[in-house]
Amino acid sequence: MSVREVVSLTPAFLREWPLPSPQGDKSSRGTVLVIGGSRSTPGAVILAGTAAMRAGAGKLQIATTESTAPALGVAVPEAMVIGLPETPMGNVAAEPPQQLLDLVSSADVVVIGPGLFDGDETDQLLAAVLGALGDDSAAVVDACALASVARRPEVLEGCADRVVLTPNQSEGAGLLDRELSDDLDAEAAEIAQKYGCVVSLFGHIAGPDGGAWRDETAGSGLGTSGSGDVAAGMVGGLLARGAEASQAACWGINVHAAAGQRLAVERGRTSYLAREIVDGIAPALAALEV
């Protein structure tokens, strides 16, 4: 694969690559289905789902463990929330009910991974979900589900060009089955080539067609619990608006960083929370979409 010159994600560049601006009701901005969570990490799907809405998605659905679903339905009144069978340890069980597969087939974007834990259960869940993905739908694979992709890359067959992988550095190492070098541009490109997906790796974005972009504005405060869930949800929301995979990844990572920059001024460089990043998405987007 030939890699083009790495493009720096500046505001000027992104304004020349504007996001789709759908007209009409909420359906025109797409439905995002977030699948994840556990009894011990119920908040991950809240972060991802609300980030998707802040990024512009029209409808939100959340599928999570049945023991936490009622509380999440109250916490996120904008979402339709369904409960999934869970293991004795409180993780989402392997075999999804038909209700979930029906939601997957009709969703515009599926975000899967935030808050999931059990590897074997997630392997089977991811295979079923991606197998039910609609022909024109996209997916964001994050967190524990990335390890499932590394173990069973065949789950991407038939949909890889509509999938965005959002690994952190340790998850990126798992996807390549080795430690990462310091050249994250090259590492992102290798992951994109290996799996045939757009990859967003710690501010380095690569596409299987050789496209390469880099955001150099992120601060250390983004390395906080839940921040990756927010980023994955943002990418899902932008996909729902109609952005193609590379554009959603580039805009998502830049706006994520911009929200962190604003918070660093208000809260301190490493003192803000992931939930506050969600609240920073709208002003960061508005600053770019003038």
Side-chain angles (χ1 to χ4, degrees), residues 183-266:
D183 187 351
L184 294 184
D185 291 324
E187 302 293 44
E190 185 172 340
I191 296 170
Q193 180 182 34
K194 180 176 180 179
Y195 294 98
C197 302
V198 169
V199 176
S200 177
L201 171 66
F202 208 64
H204 303 258
I205 298 99
D209 62 352
W213 302 264
R214 181 195 307 131
D215 184 89
E216 300 177 277
T217 63
S220 57
L222 291 176
T224 189
S225 178
S227 179
D229 302 324
V230 175
M234 285 180 59
V235 173
L238 295 170
L239 287 166
R241 285 180 56 171
E244 52 91 14
S246 295
Q247 184 184 34
C250 288
W251 271 79
I253 201 66
N254 183 267
V255 170
H256 186 247
Q261 288 175 335
R262 289 168 177 260
L263 286 165
V265 174
E266 299 171 7

Side-chain angles (χ1 to χ4, degrees), residues 163-176:
V163 172
V164 179
L165 306 180
T166 55
N168 59 28
Q169 291 194 61
S170 63
E171 292 158 349
L175 288 167
L176 292 177

Side-chain angles (χ1 to χ4, degrees), residues 79-100:
M80 182 189 83
V81 181
I82 68 165
L84 302 176
E86 60 188 84
T87 68
M89 295 297 292
N91 299 313
V92 175
E95 296 187 12
Q98 187 60 45
Q99 181 186 14
L100 177 62

Side-chain angles (χ1 to χ4, degrees), residues 3-10 13-14 17 185 203-205 210-216 250:
V3 180
R4 297 197 297 265
E5 179 183 355
V6 179
V7 176
S8 180
L9 295 176
T10 64
F13 172 79
L14 291 173
W17 193 12
D185 291 324
H204 303 258
I205 298 99
W213 302 264
R214 181 195 307 131
D215 184 89
E216 300 177 277
C250 288

Side-chain angles (χ1 to χ4, degrees), residues 2-102:
S2 60
V3 180
R4 297 197 297 265
E5 179 183 355
V6 179
V7 176
S8 180
L9 295 176
T10 64
F13 172 79
L14 291 173
R15 288 188 183 110
E16 291 180 358
W17 193 12
L19 292 170
S21 182
Q23 303 298 314
D25 66 9
K26 58 190 176 183
S27 297
S28 68
R29 302 208 316 270
T31 297
V32 174
L33 169 62
V34 179
I35 304 172
S38 71
R39 210 155 51 219
S40 60
T41 56
V45 291
I46 295 179
L47 292 171
T50 53
M53 293 290 285
R54 290 294 191 189
K59 296 181 182 179
L60 174 62
Q61 300 168 342
I62 295 175
T64 190
T65 47
E66 55 192 358
S67 62
T68 63
L72 290 183
V74 174
V76 190
E78 299 86 357
M80 182 189 83
V81 181
I82 68 165
L84 302 176
E86 60 188 84
T87 68
M89 295 297 292
N91 299 313
V92 175
E95 296 187 12
Q98 187 60 45
Q99 181 186 14
L100 177 62
L101 298 181
D102 289 343

